[in-house]
């Protein structure tokens, strides 16, 4: 087994990575994030996470995470809200290109030892290829994700829904990792090779 | 000599920054493209209206297969845009002999071939063979609402090879200045002789306006305004106005085209192009006699089914003079009016 692992560098790396993630997330429990329509008929990604940390720690870690994600937030008491962006692509075999920019609202509430958040108000702005062969946003078009197209374009819409769910799931993984990790270690100084020190 | 020094300085500047870069973010290769084909019926029973593409009468004909590759590594990127077929060869790009010809086989098949370097978020430089920055319509059928093309498009440049610098003051304002070959030239034997500039303003979300100029000898000088405003999710209004003067005032053109488009559903949109085009005294342009004008109305629908767009289109042209054929047996222009129907299928990926 050991020999097999040594021979396959990539699987070993992936295994280690998974073990790392599992160990990091072992301390927290969460209701699995769900992507479905809420009571207002809006697509929503909703998740409750139990994280055994004081509420001010949860708050400061969340602030750091949202800043890293480029989400500007407004805080009010034990609640936080902001706006964020995903970009989704369309691919088939070897071709792939940006399909749409998805903007969403972010809401979060936290208490001692747990927090919950949801992403909602997803709206889509499509990309279009310009004269230089590059994809650019079609500014001025903003379609709520809930707006179902006719049967001719349903397949694309369903693919976009899956892409948004995937993007929300990846957001969730990044967030839970950021919330669970300990304070970032000080950046280590680059090591200098000393010929006399051996 | 000055241009040589400038190009040398730009190259040294680029090389220095490239050597200093520490960002190695690698994006995957993006491949996209399109395929298009069409049927056209001209009511004079022969090819009549001067449009760059959709030229063949009573024939199911080819547009082009278009393949575009793009890749970014750190701040550097390239675009390679290849096209095969009448639309992407003899009708829009040059062969190796630098002449438009549908019979010559040695086309380079290249619509765009350029490299870019983003020195900062606001400033970038691009060099190579690029789709022109002038005008509203483009060669790719994916970029146009109407399938046939305007007189303004057909008369302006298609590509500009050169080096250009882009600077964005903000999301709302940006400029471009560049040095270019003569219009539509892979290689410029009289030196890099054209100067081009563009001012982009975006007063509100969805509204962009480009003021363009390209000038040089022997290309001449063209001023161009291209603007479009996505007024609502359903309604878009575009405008193109241009004025071109040949060197020594030997001729030119001026004109304007308005493009209202309305999306009734996600699958069905209607668009009108109303164009006025005048050839200045001196030279006839696309059969429009010197000093006379033509008005063209084109009504197109876009029926979208995922990546496929069907474009049925009706077009009516009306010249000040007799610039069209009345029928198949007409030996010379003998009518002021012409009309055609076309149905195009464009698949993009």
């Amino acid at each position: 087994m050991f020999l097999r692992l040594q021979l396959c560098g990539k699987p070993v790396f992936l295994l280690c990575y998974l073990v790392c993630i599992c160990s990091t997330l072992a301390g927290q429990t969460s209701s699995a994030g769900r992507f479905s329509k809420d009571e207002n008929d809006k697509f929503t990604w909703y998740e409750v996470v139990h994280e055994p940390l004081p509420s001010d720690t949860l708050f400061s870690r969340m602030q750091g995470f949202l800043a890293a994600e480029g989400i500007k937030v407004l805080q009010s008491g034990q609640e936080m809200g902001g706006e964020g962006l995903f970009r989704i692509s369309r691919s088939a075999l070897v071709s792939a290109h940006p399909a749409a920019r998805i903007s969403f609202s972010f809401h979060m509430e936290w208490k001692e030892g747990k927090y919950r958040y949801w992403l909602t108000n997803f709206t889509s702005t499509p990309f279009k290829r310009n004269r230089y062969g590059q994809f650019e946003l079609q500014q001025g078009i903003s379609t709520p994700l809930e707006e179902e197209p006719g049967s001719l374009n349903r397949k694309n819409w369903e693919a976009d829904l899956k892409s948004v769910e995937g993007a929300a799931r990846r957001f969730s993984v990044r967030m839970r990792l950021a919330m669970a990790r300990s304070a970032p270690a000080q950046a280590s100084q680059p090591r200098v090779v000393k010929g006399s020190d051996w | 000599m000055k241009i040589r020094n400038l190009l040398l300085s730009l190259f040294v500047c680029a090389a220095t920054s490239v050597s200093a870069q520490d960002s190695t973010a690698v994006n995957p290769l993006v491949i996209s493209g399109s395929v298009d084909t069409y049927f056209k019926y001209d009511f004079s029973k022969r090819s009549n209206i001067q449009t760059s593409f959709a030229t063949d009468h009573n024939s199911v004909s080819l547009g082009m297969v278009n393949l575009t590759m793009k890749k970014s590594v750190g701040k550097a990127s390239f675009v390679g845009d290849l096209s095969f077929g009448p639309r992407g060869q003899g009708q829009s790009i040059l062969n190796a002999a630098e002449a438009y010809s549908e019979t010559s086989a040695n086309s380079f098949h290249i619509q765009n071939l350029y490299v870019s370097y983003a020195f900062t978020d606001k400033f970038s430089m691009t060099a190579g063979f690029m789709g022109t920055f002038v005008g509203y319509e483009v060669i790719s059928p994916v970029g146009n609402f109407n399938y046939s093309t305007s007189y303004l498009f057909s008369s302006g440049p298609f590509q500009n090879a050169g080096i250009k610098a882009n600077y964005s003051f903000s999301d709302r304002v940006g400029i471009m200045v560049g040095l270019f070959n003569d219009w539509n030239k892979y290689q410029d034997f009289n030196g890099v002789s054209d100067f081009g500039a563009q001012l982009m303003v975006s007063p509100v979300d969805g509204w962009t306006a480009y003021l363009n100029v390209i000038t040089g000898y022997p290309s001449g000088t063209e001023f161009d305004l291209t603007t479009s405003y996505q007024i609502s999710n359903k309604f878009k209004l575009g405008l193109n106005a241009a004025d071109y003067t040949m060197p020594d005032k030997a001729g030119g053109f001026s004109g304007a085209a308005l493009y209202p488009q309305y999306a009734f559903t996600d699958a069905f949109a209607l668009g009108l192009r109303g164009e006025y085009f005048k050839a200045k005294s001196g030279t006839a342009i696309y059969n429009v006699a010197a000093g006379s004008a033509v008005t063209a109305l084109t009504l197109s629908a876009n029926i979208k089914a995922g990546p496929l767009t069907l474009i049925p289109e009706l077009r009516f042209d009306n010249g000040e003079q007799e610039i069209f054929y009345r029928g198949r047996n007409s030996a010379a222009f003998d009518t002021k009016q012409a009309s055609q129907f076309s149905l195009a299928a464009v698949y993009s990926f």
Side-chain angles (χ1 to χ4, degrees):
Chain A
M1 178 66 176
F2 176 71
L3 184 63
R4 210 173 131 212
L5 287 175
Q6 262 199 332
L7 288 173
C8 313
K10 227 172 199 177
V12 172
F13 173 75
L14 286 174
L15 190 66
C16 294
Y17 182 68
L18 282 173
V19 168
C20 276
I21 288 181
C22 293
S23 337
T24 313
L25 299 178
Q28 63 178 219
T29 58
S30 99
S31 65
R34 274 200 329 264
F35 184 72
S36 56
K37 283 194 173 175
D38 66 6
E39 63 270 25
N40 298 316
D41 216 26
K42 292 266 186 192
F43 280 110
T44 301
W45 173 272
Y46 179 80
E47 192 169 21
V48 181
V49 183
H50 293 265
E51 183 69 59
L53 290 169
S55 66
D56 56 345
T57 307
L58 290 175
F59 169 64
S60 63
R61 287 188 182 180
M62 176 55 70
Q63 272 190 319
F65 169 71
L66 293 176
E69 289 281 319
I71 297 177
K72 289 179 182 172
V73 291
L74 287 172
Q75 189 210 344
S76 164
Q78 292 292 94
E79 292 179 21
M80 204 185 275
E83 302 284 330
L85 297 171
F86 293 145
R87 194 168 81 164
I88 59 172
S89 298
R90 205 158 283 152
S91 59
L93 291 177
V94 294
S95 73
H97 61 79
R101 187 183 72 182
I102 306 291
S103 63
F104 59 86
S105 306
F106 171 86
H107 301 273
M108 184 197 179
E109 294 171 6
W110 64 96
K111 295 178 177 174
E112 200 74 12
K114 70 174 181 178
Y115 63 90
R116 68 171 182 165
Y117 71 94
W118 60 98
L119 316 179
T120 189
N121 290 329
F122 293 99
T123 58
S124 168
T125 301
F127 278 91
K128 189 176 182 184
R129 203 170 63 168
N130 67 13
R131 63 183 65 221
Y132 308 114
Q134 311 244 30
F135 283 85
E136 65 182 15
L137 277 177
Q138 282 187 275
Q139 295 282 6
I141 295 182
S142 177
T143 311
L145 208 57
E146 294 77 19
E147 201 168 289
E148 293 191 29
S151 56
L152 289 176
N153 292 297
R154 192 165 185 86
K155 214 168 179 182
N156 273 349
W157 177 73
E158 286 171 351
D160 288 353
L161 275 186
K162 275 188 185 166
S163 298
V164 172
E165 181 176 1
R169 197 176 298 281
R170 289 190 292 276
F171 178 89
S172 157
V173 170
R174 289 197 300 276
M175 187 163 107
R176 285 191 287 131
L177 270 172
M179 296 296 280
R181 66 164 164 59
S182 53
Q186 292 290 321
S188 56
Q189 293 297 317
R191 298 183 69 180
V192 178
V193 174
K194 290 181 183 171
S196 56
D197 184 16
W198 64 283
Chain B
M1 190 63 185
K2 276 181 183 171
I3 288 177
R4 209 174 120 196
N5 287 340
L6 178 62
L7 291 176
L8 189 65
S9 310
L10 290 171
F11 179 76
V12 169
C13 184
T16 312
S17 297
V18 169
S19 67
Q21 73 174 290
D22 56 2
S23 168
T24 52
V26 179
N27 292 315
L29 182 67
V30 173
I31 299 176
S32 62
S34 67
V35 172
D36 65 299
T37 183
Y38 69 94
F39 167 81
K40 180 178 91 163
Y41 189 86
D42 195 296
F43 294 106
S44 67
K45 299 183 174 61
R46 65 191 292 177
S47 292
N48 203 8
I49 291 176
Q50 297 291 308
T51 169
S52 293
F53 316 121
T55 49
D56 305 348
H57 162 66
N58 201 14
S59 164
V60 175
S61 289
L62 305 180
M64 66 176 176
V65 178
N66 186 207
L67 282 172
T68 305
M69 293 164 286
K70 185 198 169 190
K71 187 165 174 68
S72 302
V73 178
K75 295 176 175 179
S77 62
F78 84 86
V79 169
D81 185 355
L82 306 173
S83 54
F84 305 87
R87 187 182 183 114
Q89 287 175 246
Q91 292 177 349
S92 68
I93 57 173
L94 310 154
N95 60 25
E98 303 230 314
Y100 291 104
S101 166
E102 296 202 37
T103 52
S104 179
N106 57 349
S107 167
F108 288 150
H109 308 286
I110 291 167
Q111 294 282 357
N112 280 288
L113 188 163
Y114 61 81
V115 291
S116 278
Y117 191 81
F119 292 89
T120 67
D121 287 345
K122 292 180 179 294
F123 178 61
S124 66
M125 292 202 68
T126 305
F129 188 71
M130 297 158 276
T132 185
F133 57 95
V134 175
Y136 188 90
E137 297 178 21
V138 297
I139 293 169
S140 167
V142 178
N144 296 333
F145 192 94
N146 311 99
Y147 192 73
S148 69
T149 54
S150 65
Y151 288 92
L152 285 171
F153 169 80
S154 299
S155 309
F158 281 18
Q159 286 98 4
N160 299 118
I163 182 165
K164 64 182 183 180
N166 283 79
Y167 187 82
S168 297
F169 294 97
S170 69
D171 290 344
R172 301 275 184 216
V173 184
I175 57 164
M176 180 280 292
V177 290
L179 298 169
F180 301 97
N181 290 356
D182 296 340
W183 294 10
N184 317 323
K185 294 282 186 192
Y186 289 121
Q187 183 183 4
D188 199 337
F189 291 104
N190 68 332
V192 181
S193 54
D194 284 14
F195 169 79
Q198 178 180 71
L199 170 67
M200 184 281 288
V201 289
S202 177
V204 294
D205 275 353
W207 184 9
T208 48
Y210 300 90
L211 278 166
N212 304 307
V213 61
I214 184 158
T215 182
Y217 187 88
S219 306
T221 301
E222 181 169 357
F223 294 97
D224 174 90
L225 166 68
T226 294
T227 180
S228 67
Y229 185 17
Q230 187 75 46
I231 296 169
S232 71
N233 271 1
K234 305 268 186 197
F235 184 54
K236 182 180 179 182
L237 187 63
L239 172 74
N240 184 204
D243 181 87
Y244 169 65
T245 307
M246 292 164 72
D248 308 321
K249 297 188 177 174
F253 64 81
S254 56
L258 196 64
Y259 299 80
Q261 291 151 14
Y262 191 84
F264 290 89
T265 68
D266 60 284
F268 181 74
L270 270 181
L272 187 71
R273 177 181 57 212
E275 181 184 16
Y276 174 83
F277 180 86
K278 181 171 186 175
K280 292 181 178 176
S281 57
T283 310
I285 297 179
Y286 284 100
N287 296 347
V288 183
S292 80
V294 63
T295 309
L297 273 180
T298 308
L299 179 66
S300 309
N302 278 195
I303 303 162
K304 284 184 186 292
L308 177 67
T309 305
L310 293 176
I311 311 175
E313 182 174 290
L314 271 172
R315 176 167 174 161
F316 306 94
D317 283 28
N318 186 20
E320 274 182 2
Q321 298 184 11
E322 293 180 344
I323 57 171
F324 300 110
Y325 299 105
R326 186 182 300 276
R328 188 182 300 170
N329 298 322
S330 300
F333 298 139
D334 53 1
T335 181
K336 292 180 180 177
Q337 280 95 29
S339 52
Q340 67 175 38
F341 167 79
S342 62
L343 175 63
V346 181
Y347 187 98
S348 65
F349 55 90

